[in-house]
Amino acid sequence: MATQMQLEEFAKMPPFSSEEGKWIQGAERRIRGCRDSLLHFDMPVPEACLFDGQIERFKSYNDTNGVLTVSAILTFSNSVEMTSLSLTGLVLALSKLSHKAEVILVDDSSTESTIMIKRLGQRLTRFSGIEIRIVRTTQTFSGPIGYGMANNLALKQTNGKYILLLNNDVILFKTTILYLLLSFKSHPDVGAVVPRFVGSEGKLQEAGSVIFTDGRAMQLGSSLGLDDDDPIFRYVRSTDYGSAACLLIRRELILGGFDSIYRPAYYEDTDLSMSIRRSGFHVLYQPFAVALHKGSMTYNNATFKSGLMSKNQNLFARKWWQTLECHYSHWVTNWTNRPGIRRVLQLASRLSLFRIIFFEWSVPCFDRDSGSVRTINLIRVLLSIGAHVTFVANDVDYDSPCVYQLNWLGVHVIKQKALDLGWGDDVKSSCDYDIIFVSRRDSFAMWQRLLEIACPEVPVAFDTVDLHFLRELRELMAAKGVSYQNDIKFSQNIYHYKQRFQIIDRGMEDASATENQVARYRNWLIKLSDEVKLMNSSTATIVVSPVEVKIIRELKAMRQLRPDLAVFHISNIHDDETLGSLYSKPSNFAQRKGCLFVGNWAHPPNVDAVQFLIHEILPNLAKNPRTPSDLVLHIVGAGDPPMWVNDIRDVGGIPVVMHGFIKDLDSILAHVRVAVAPLRYGAGVKGKINSAMIHGVPVVATPMAIEGMFLTANEDVVVAENGLSFASRLLDLYLNYDLWNEIRTAAFVNVRKHFSTSTAKHGVDKLLDFFFTTQPHLQRISEDGNRALQGTGGCDRIQSKYGIGAIVPSDRIMTMNQGVHGNFEQDTMIPRNYIFDANMNFLDIVWAMSSVDKAKSRCESDKACTGWCWHPGDWTFFYYNAISHEKLQKRGNIGEFPPGWACWLNRNRIRNAPLIIQDDGYSDVRFDIVSHNSYRVYKPKASTMLEWRLLTSDDAQRRCVLNYDCAAYCHHPEDWTFFYDISFADIFLERGNSVYNAPGWTCYKRIPHEVATLNARPLLVNPVFVHVQRPSILFLDGTKKQHPGWTCYIRPVFVHVQRPSNFVFGRNEKAASSGNNNVKPYLKEAWRLNEKQARALCAKDRKCTGYCNHPDDFTFLYEHILDEHHMQQRGELNQYPPGWTCYIRPNLLASIRKAGSNMQLAYAQLQSGIQGDPLNGRLN
């Protein structure tokens, strides 16, 4: 957890805030001022070098008794000016730490004068006490040796527990190293930590990075189209690799140094990160640690730099090919076209076994209430078993300490309005999350409908926190002086209450049951019914006590709950380390005074408990002659207390102190002798009791307060029921040291046994085991994910979270009629230096697969794969379309790559492949070439998206087609591809020349589709016909013709219906009234989709005959016959400007037609009177 000191530092300079941005922009100027003061003024502590006007060392990270903790290595080759700034910032950050450090400067054959560096190092040592040594590579080598080798030279001279690697173009902030160090303490499985890199203007450069199967790396940052302060960048998480521009690493993980094969530079830190993860450690991205990165100070020649990166990428891919099989494929064409936040979420969570989305009403805080403590520790358990957790609350202040705590733990926190569950995602029809957790009744009620629409296939765990209806029933009974009896059933308690007040279900039997009593009872019944409905709608329900488990079983027996509802017991959770540290603190009975009650004033049972204390318990204490004069009652609680409480100062001479909210309860629990819990009603498990017990404070409580806590009266807790006995038993415990010590010792053992993190983890494991055994896709995710995270290869068959199956869902990868294990045969008709055309739409490529068997296994497991071409020292190409000998591509010369290429194919899969018909809603998009000039492109700075080295122009076109705003692009297979939102005139800028970039650039622009109005149906606007791509010997009905050359066309996907904007298509009333409960009035409903999302959602569902969309209302998707003459009014014409838009899908593709079905297509029903319809209404 983040410490109190950290939270105070966050408050001074909120991460990602405008204040931080201003500080970043002025950082270089301030560091330069400090450096100049040190160089030109002979003073021990220049004022320009003080943080906040003083030399203040952070105390939170334990001093190591003089043992060297950090060895910082700063390498440079020339760039003396920037190096001096980097060195100054480094030493200032190290000087803030309360432990020893050293700095080693490595001069890699600089030709500039380094006298300033030497003088500055001497002054910084005098200022900070940190030893600074300079190592010159010229003492050992004759010239520059490169970044990795220079660091290897310095590593031999380091002595610290942690090694800090630093570029000379990086400036650190005062807390950067501190937060990097603290990450090792709070995340024990971490091997290296990388900070958040920002530019001089505060622009986010890098928030962790991802590595693809081909060895390419992508930095996660604002360049992906998200805001710099987007929540996806604000939380601690594992990352594929950490840039050595600033990287703190455990000494034992880098003793072997960098691999020399990457000399002089690039990919050595990527290689190091892979080694760290293979050793069983994580590489952590730490957003709270910030580093200003100037960039490109060592290699500023773009061509030379690009050549180094390309060469070392190939070396890296060859070395790590087996592990890289587990990574995402860079060649999946939809990567750059997924909605920004969802794309980055998938990349950011790649190293998690599964994704959980956790809904709560508000953000929990450790210092707020026991429910918050339980929620946070439950999330910690989920994180510890490999889950990625996204936390959603109704209202979120991203700069609050509560959110910072969750971010530091590794939780992705977003506010309700920012949630995107991907209703209309172009690429992926399923939800981005694998499991849903919803906490508390009111929260589930708010989210239930939305989750059913957006994530219908995802299992839901409903965490009740406590059974609200049980607490409310007890409150109802307590208000009338009726006690809830635990020794009888829940239903019997309801019966006794009704009998007591003569309440019957339909009204009042006599005047003894007041109208108010009946109304309150009826209101309670409604809440009971609502909570039961929520449980029935969940996949599994979580309760916190065995008493509640018993009530759930009773409701099942009464057939109020479905019999197969899974119920799990996960009680309060307290961190194991905290349990030990708190109890081990010395406790002096004689020095402790007074008793304590803790409770949030917003919780009615707590208010009632204080009334019980004030009106019944304290008066009896005041009368008892044993009551000591130093007895005082402390009442602590957040929120506004009732008015009557504010006037109470003492009761019968016993002082009553109202503390209000106390942030840190440790301070008061360390001084009181006894805690009290006089609760007369409630439900769940009482955190105030656990909290007191783990601090070594024994408790006096009512039977209701200790319900479900496995406590035994007079063994680990003192129990009393009425005011007189409560006062007497409190004095027994308060005055008797032996009893006090015996109770507190036994109580702590109870908490450790039943409420520790390890106990909770056992309950969570049982819950997840249930999900994994009952949800097939979760079982596959668990098995494949565990294998992938081992990092030892063996990921060939993975079809769930990794590789192409993670990005392209099964309904978008061609479905073949053949089984999974088709027969593959080697094609011996092609030369060994040729492959099937690599420019075709291949399924995937993998670098340097070690054997044909691995390639075969990968292709067999994917029904879309029709064949592959394999080479052990090159890419293996997997194809999903028909393989033709007419389209062979030369790749290398005979003898160049012995033993050469081998191509394999499955003729049955090729023969039975269905027609490739573009039915995604964008098939009317066409492009035309506007420039063949090989070294001129549209203005690059005007591009809105770019992608490095797209293999073919087809790849570029697919990216542009799937982006609604893309109007043009310029493509080069060995350079960037630029995408533009507007089509320019023929105005091009020179980019390189024909020597640099042969065969050069090709630019394309989108051609607007033609529109024509149908005479017979003036309300329908009909775009052009769409070409059906398939072998030219096949007709649309699948029959073969003898002579090739056929060309087939179909109507486009959607036709706009022009009509008043307050009308929509009607419900499927006929089908709904047929008596079939499985028939829905709509195919789907989705809340507040834009036009782009609505179109994509209907396009990918082959049952969808059309839709009506409104940006501020529901979008309705239909699966029945649509007629624009029978539409329904929805709201007034001016009620929802700009209003509804409706579309009909005139052609449903052959793949959705059932054999023998008489169902007609929607367009066929409307086509009467339309002349020239090429389908003539014959598609059934």
Side-chain angles (χ1 to χ4, degrees), residues 140-298:
T140 310
F141 302 91
S142 59
I145 60 176
Y147 180 81
M149 296 293 288
N151 275 283
N152 291 350
L153 189 64
L155 281 169
K156 300 175 182 179
Q157 303 185 33
T158 59
N159 300 294
K161 181 179 179 182
Y162 300 99
I163 306 299
L164 176 68
L165 304 175
L166 195 67
N167 273 12
N168 67 326
D169 56 0
V170 172
I171 296 177
L172 302 183
F173 298 168
K174 67 173 183 177
T175 56
T176 303
I177 301 177
L178 171 72
Y179 293 158
L180 294 178
L181 277 171
L182 287 174
S183 302
F184 289 96
K185 186 176 181 181
S186 56
H187 299 78
D189 294 331
V190 170
V193 189
V194 63
R196 168 169 48 106
F197 290 105
V198 297
S200 299
E201 300 301 318
K203 194 75 173 173
L204 178 63
Q205 287 183 352
E206 184 178 331
S209 303
V210 64
I211 306 171
F212 294 103
T213 53
D214 61 353
R216 298 191 187 197
M218 176 191 290
Q219 283 73 42
L220 303 185
S222 54
S223 61
L224 296 176
L226 302 181
D227 293 335
D228 290 343
D229 62 346
D230 192 279
I232 199 70
F233 303 131
R234 300 177 71 113
Y235 66 100
V236 175
R237 65 174 184 274
S238 294
T239 185
D240 276 355
Y241 89 92
S243 170
C246 179
L247 184 71
L248 188 66
I249 182 173
R250 293 179 187 270
R251 175 182 174 80
E252 63 270 21
L253 296 178
I254 198 175
L255 284 179
F258 289 111
D259 194 329
S260 60
I261 65 172
Y262 303 107
R263 181 180 176 183
Y266 298 115
Y267 271 88
E268 59 274 277
D269 49 0
T270 317
D271 179 88
L272 175 63
S273 296
M274 295 290 279
S275 298
I276 292 170
R277 293 197 292 113
R278 188 172 62 179
S279 299
F281 292 91
H282 296 286
V283 178
L284 206 67
Y285 160 64
Q286 176 53 268
F288 294 95
V290 187
L292 172 59
H293 188 201
K294 302 287 288 185
S296 299
M297 298 297 294
T298 305

Side-chain angles (χ1 to χ4, degrees), residues 370-656:
S370 63
S372 290
V373 174
R374 177 181 175 276
T375 298
I376 292 174
N377 281 324
L378 175 59
I379 291 174
R380 292 176 73 177
V381 171
L382 294 171
L383 291 170
S384 71
I385 58 181
H388 176 278
V389 178
T390 295
F391 184 92
V392 184
N394 190 39
D395 188 24
V396 175
D397 177 5
Y398 291 122
D399 295 324
S400 70
C402 304
V403 174
Y404 289 153
Q405 288 279 19
L406 290 178
N407 289 157
W408 186 275
L409 283 175
V411 181
H412 174 215
V413 181
I414 58 175
K415 60 179 64 176
Q416 172 189 344
K417 295 180 181 179
L419 178 63
D420 179 7
L421 291 174
W423 304 294
D425 186 12
D426 299 348
V427 180
K428 194 164 179 284
S429 58
S430 59
C431 188
D432 280 330
Y433 301 94
D434 305 306
I435 300 174
I436 297 170
F437 272 76
V438 189
S439 184
R440 305 179 196 270
R441 180 184 67 191
D442 294 342
S443 182
F444 194 10
M446 179 177 70
W447 289 101
Q448 181 192 15
R449 179 61 176 155
L450 181 62
L451 295 175
E452 288 178 348
I453 295 172
C455 299
E457 77 283 2
V458 179
V460 177
F462 174 30
D463 183 7
T464 61
V465 180
D466 64 20
L467 292 181
H468 290 44
F469 65 78
L470 176 61
R471 169 167 43 84
E472 290 160 350
L473 174 63
R474 288 170 170 173
E475 180 182 5
L476 196 65
M477 298 173 71
K480 296 299 177 182
V482 181
S483 297
Y484 185 94
Q485 301 178 47
N486 280 325
D487 55 346
I488 63 175
K489 292 183 177 181
F490 169 72
S491 56
Q492 291 175 318
N493 274 286
I494 299 175
Y495 176 76
H496 288 166
Y497 176 77
K498 292 168 62 178
Q499 285 249 320
R500 173 75 178 270
F501 295 102
Q502 301 297 309
I503 298 175
I504 61 175
D505 289 341
R506 296 176 178 238
M508 300 178 294
E509 188 168 295
D510 58 32
S512 63
T514 66
E515 185 175 345
N516 182 53
Q517 288 170 346
V518 174
R520 292 185 64 189
Y521 175 71
R522 295 274 176 80
N523 183 54
W524 174 80
L525 282 179
I526 293 172
K527 292 182 178 180
L528 167 64
S529 176
D530 290 343
E531 196 164 351
V532 168
K533 287 178 182 177
L534 292 173
M535 291 183 189
N536 280 324
S537 68
S538 69
T539 313
T541 293
I542 302 171
V543 295
V544 297
S545 78
V547 173
E548 294 179 342
V549 173
K550 183 178 178 182
I551 293 175
I552 295 293
R553 290 173 181 165
E554 183 181 347
L555 290 175
K556 284 186 177 182
M558 296 167 63
R559 298 187 178 180
Q560 298 298 308
L561 289 173
R562 70 175 202 268
D564 63 339
L565 175 65
V567 181
F568 296 90
H569 172 213
I570 302 175
S571 195
N572 283 2
I573 309 171
H574 296 278
D575 180 55
D576 292 339
E577 183 179 347
T578 304
L579 285 174
S581 62
L582 289 174
Y583 186 79
S584 62
K585 292 180 179 179
S587 181
N588 192 309
F589 176 82
Q591 293 179 355
R592 290 176 174 266
K593 306 293 180 184
C595 53
L596 172 68
F597 174 80
V598 178
N600 193 309
W601 289 107
H603 196 48
N606 291 329
V607 178
D608 178 76
V610 173
Q611 285 182 315
F612 186 32
L613 267 171
I614 300 298
H615 298 146
E616 297 188 39
I617 298 174
L618 287 186
N620 280 291
L621 278 172
K623 297 175 186 178
N624 196 311
R626 294 191 299 154
T627 301
S629 59
D630 61 356
L631 182 63
V632 59
L633 173 62
H634 300 274
I635 299 179
V636 175
D640 298 323
M643 293 296 294
W644 59 268
V645 174
N646 295 328
D647 298 330
I648 297 175
R649 296 293 181 268
D650 70 89
V651 176
I654 299 176
V656 178

Side-chain angles (χ1 to χ4, degrees), residues 823-828 830 836 851-853 855-856 859 865-871 876-879 883 901-907 910:
N823 295 320
F824 290 86
E825 57 182 286
Q826 184 173 1
D827 193 327
T828 58
I830 63 175
F836 295 118
S851 68
V852 173
D853 290 339
K856 179 181 179 182
C859 195
C865 183
T866 55
W868 75 90
C869 288
W870 167 80
H871 192 291
T876 295
F877 295 88
F878 296 89
Y879 304 93
I883 298 174
W901 290 90
C903 292
W904 299 68
L905 52 85
N906 185 319
R907 300 187 185 278
I910 295 172

Side-chain angles (χ1 to χ4, degrees), residues 27-79:
E28 188 173 345
R29 173 181 52 81
R30 283 190 294 272
I31 294 295
R32 182 175 283 108
C34 174
R35 181 205 62 183
D36 292 346
S37 297
L38 288 167
L39 288 174
H40 304 305
F41 301 101
D42 190 12
M43 57 180 67
V45 184
E47 185 176 349
C49 298
L50 298 181
F51 288 122
D52 305 324
Q54 58 183 331
I55 300 178
E56 175 194 358
R57 295 186 184 275
F58 296 112
K59 301 297 184 183
S60 66
Y61 195 80
N62 294 333
D63 197 335
T64 52
N65 298 320
V67 176
L68 192 63
T69 302
V70 178
S71 293
I73 301 175
L74 175 60
T75 63
F76 69 98
S77 180
N78 297 315
S79 301

